[in-house]
Amino acid sequence: MAAQDLELVGLVVATGDRHAFGVLVERYQILVRAMLTRMTGNHALADDLAQDAFIKAYRKIGTFTGQGSFKSWLCRIAYTEFLQAARKRKSAEAAMERYKAHEEVETRETNWDTGDAMDLDRALAQLSEVERTVIVLCFSSGMSHPEAAAVTGLPLGTVKSHIMRGKAKMRALLEDKEAVKA
Amino acid sequence: MMTYDDGFDARLSAAFEKADAEITPDIRFTQRIESRLGSVMNPRTMVLGGAGASGSALAATQLENLADGVVFNNPILTQVFDMIGGQSIVAIVFALMAATFVYILPGRRA
C-alpha cells in the first residue's frame, strides 16, 4: 500500500530521507508543473520553477504542521516561487512580456500539439495575475475556494470575486475565439 | 438545475483537463530534484549532528586514560600525538564518528 503523505513527510523530517521525498515529488510533480505552466504559459520556465519549489519544500518541510493538506502547502510554496520570479523582473507585467516572448519561441521551436491549450494559455494571459492564479488553482489544480484562499493568502470573499471576474473574462475571450472559428 | 455558469464551469474544467493532459510524468524531473537534494543539508540533521559531535567530544575528554597506552612507531605520529595530546585526539575522533554517523544515516533508504 502506498505510504500516506504525512508518513512520508514524517520520514523526511526525521531523517532527511531523499527517497521518501522523491515519492512525494513523483506524486505531485504533474500538479505543480501544470499549475506553473498555466500561470507562466511556458513549459521550460514552469519546470524550472517547479524544481525550485520542490527543493524549497524539502528545505522547509519541518515547518509543515499537518494542518491542511500537503498539496495545499506545496502549492503555496510553488505560488511563492512564481511571485518571486515575477518580482525579480521588477513587475508582473514585465514578467508576462518575457513569458510571452518565451512562449512564442517555444511555439516555433517545438512540435508540441498546441490547439486548445494555446487558446487557454492566451486567454489566461489576458487575466490579471491574481485572477489567473485563482482560476488555475480552482480549475486546473482542483482546489476548493477556501484552499485557493489558503494558498494565495487572500480572504475567501476576495478569492470568490477574482474567480467571478476571471471566469467572465475567460468566457468572453474563449467564446470570441469560437465565434471567429465558426 | 444546470445554470449558464455551471455549464461554463464544466467547459472550463474540461479545457484545463485537456491542456494539462499534455503534461506527463517525467522520471528525469524527479531524478534531477533528488540529485539536487544531495547538496541540501537538512537543518535538523545539522543541529542534531552538531549536538551529537559536541557531546561526543565532551564525553571523550572525560576518558582520561583511554589514550595513555597508545604508542606509535612512526616518529611523526608520535610528535603529533605529544603536541596535540592523547585526550584531544580521542575527543576529535569521537566527534568525527558522531558527525559521520549523522551524515550517513539520512542517505540510507528507509
Side-chain angles (χ1 to χ4, degrees), chain A residues 12-13 15 17-18 21 29-30 33-34 38 51-52 58 112-113 116-117 139-140 167 171 175 178, chain B residues 4-5 8-9 11 13 16 18-20 22-26 30 32-34 36-37 42 44 106 110:
Chain A
V12 178
V13 171
T15 65
D17 190 324
R18 296 197 291 270
F21 191 76
Q29 63 154 290
I30 289 187
R33 288 168 58 213
R38 299 280 85 83
Q51 273 196 41
D52 291 344
Y58 181 78
W112 182 55
D113 181 20
D116 291 345
F139 288 92
S140 173
K167 273 196 324 189
R171 191 166 62 197
E175 285 177 357
E178 281 174 6
Chain B
Y4 185 74
D5 271 351
F8 183 70
D9 282 3
R11 283 177 59 205
S13 294
F16 271 107
K18 191 175 176 187
D20 292 346
E22 288 159 359
I23 298 163
T24 53
D26 184 358
T30 308
R32 276 196 298 271
I33 289 174
E34 284 196 85
R36 280 179 68 184
L37 293 181
N42 189 331
R44 185 187 172 93

Side-chain angles (χ1 to χ4, degrees), chain A residues 5 10 13 19 39 41 65 69 83 101 117-118 127 134 149 166 172 176 181:
Chain A
D5 289 353
V13 171
H19 302 290
M39 283 181 180
T65 58
S69 65
L83 285 182
M118 278 296 285
L127 306 186
V134 293
D176 272 0
K181 277 180 185 172

Side-chain angles (χ1 to χ4, degrees), chain A residues 6-127:
Chain A
L6 278 178
E7 293 169 350
L8 292 167
V9 169
L11 203 55
V12 178
V13 171
T15 65
D17 190 324
R18 296 197 291 270
H19 302 290
F21 191 76
V23 175
L24 288 168
V25 173
E26 279 176 10
R27 195 171 286 176
Y28 289 107
Q29 63 154 290
I30 289 187
L31 175 91
V32 175
R33 288 168 58 213
M35 172 186 151
L36 290 167
T37 299
R38 299 280 85 83
M39 283 181 180
T40 61
N42 179 272
H43 278 279
L45 182 61
D47 275 8
D48 285 348
L49 289 178
Q51 273 196 41
D52 291 344
F54 277 112
I55 297 292
K56 194 165 275 183
Y58 181 78
R59 285 191 181 127
K60 295 173 65 176
I61 202 157
T63 66
F64 175 62
T65 58
Q67 290 176 329
S69 65
F70 179 75
K71 172 185 160 184
S72 296
W73 181 79
L74 183 62
C75 284
R76 188 174 174 83
I77 291 175
Y79 174 59
T80 307
E81 279 300 305
F82 167 73
L83 285 182
Q84 284 175 350
R87 283 174 191 150
K88 274 180 193 168
R89 289 155 184 86
K90 305 291 181 191
S91 71
E93 285 77 17
M96 281 312 299
E97 286 304 313
R98 186 169 181 276
Y99 298 151
K100 283 176 194 167
H102 272 284
E103 187 182 347
E104 283 164 15
V105 170
E106 186 173 81
T107 307
R108 283 197 303 270
E109 290 179 349
T110 68
N111 294 320
W112 182 55
D113 181 20
T114 51
D116 291 345
M118 278 296 285
D119 291 346
L120 190 67
D121 286 340
R122 281 189 182 132
L124 283 170
Q126 301 302 312
L127 306 186

